[in-house]
Amino acid sequence: MSLTVPNDLLDQARAGEVDDAAFLACVRDSLPYAWSLISELVKQREHSGAEFADNEVPPPSEEARGQLLRCLASDSMRGALERHYGVRLAFQNCHRVAVFDPAATKALADFVTPRAQILNQKPELVDC
């Protein structure tokens, strides 16, 4: 299961729309590794002023890897995080998450090319 959904949030969803704040709290509480990694990358990018910040360190466990995969594979979770932080997210392999300034369209386009994906491959990442 991707998220541990509290009953009040489930009731909210049954009654209509779910606001981003409640959804983000659910994501933060359910996927703490993914939340903390993305939050840290946002801080790094803001501090450096760079077009993007990315992570190249594999997750510390399979549980953490699963959290990251579930978070970034979900359009709703990814979209909520992008709106919350005012960034664009991109993802390669099982752990290379990048946080982009929304104006960094060329850097984002370069990051998501087949060439970039191929160049990011390493033998030790075959099973990630």
Side-chain angles (χ1 to χ4, degrees), residues 98-119:
V99 172
F100 287 83
D101 180 300
T105 55
K106 178 163 178 12
L108 175 61
D110 290 346
F111 187 87
V112 298
T113 63
R115 178 181 184 269
Q117 181 69 47
I118 295 297
L119 293 173

Side-chain angles (χ1 to χ4, degrees), residues 20-120:
D20 269 356
F23 183 58
L24 286 164
C26 182
V27 171
R28 180 194 65 228
D29 295 345
S30 299
L31 306 171
Y33 174 79
W35 180 273
S36 65
L37 178 60
I38 292 167
S39 297
E40 185 57 37
L41 289 172
V42 167
K43 289 177 193 170
Q44 286 176 20
R45 197 207 64 74
E46 288 173 349
H47 179 73
S48 71
E51 290 185 304
F52 73 97
D54 63 333
N55 173 65
E56 294 192 26
V57 178
S61 67
E62 287 304 310
E63 179 183 350
R65 184 184 321 277
Q67 286 185 28
L68 197 56
L69 291 170
R70 289 193 305 277
C71 185
L72 291 165
S74 165
D75 290 338
S76 60
M77 284 189 253
R78 183 189 298 231
L81 286 163
E82 288 178 336
R83 288 187 300 278
H84 175 69
Y85 288 117
V87 299
R88 292 287 313 270
L89 296 172
F91 190 50
Q92 290 181 354
N93 292 343
C94 57
H95 65 273
R96 189 165 182 211
V97 180
V99 172
F100 287 83
D101 180 300
T105 55
K106 178 163 178 12
L108 175 61
D110 290 346
F111 187 87
V112 298
T113 63
R115 178 181 184 269
Q117 181 69 47
I118 295 297
L119 293 173
N120 189 48

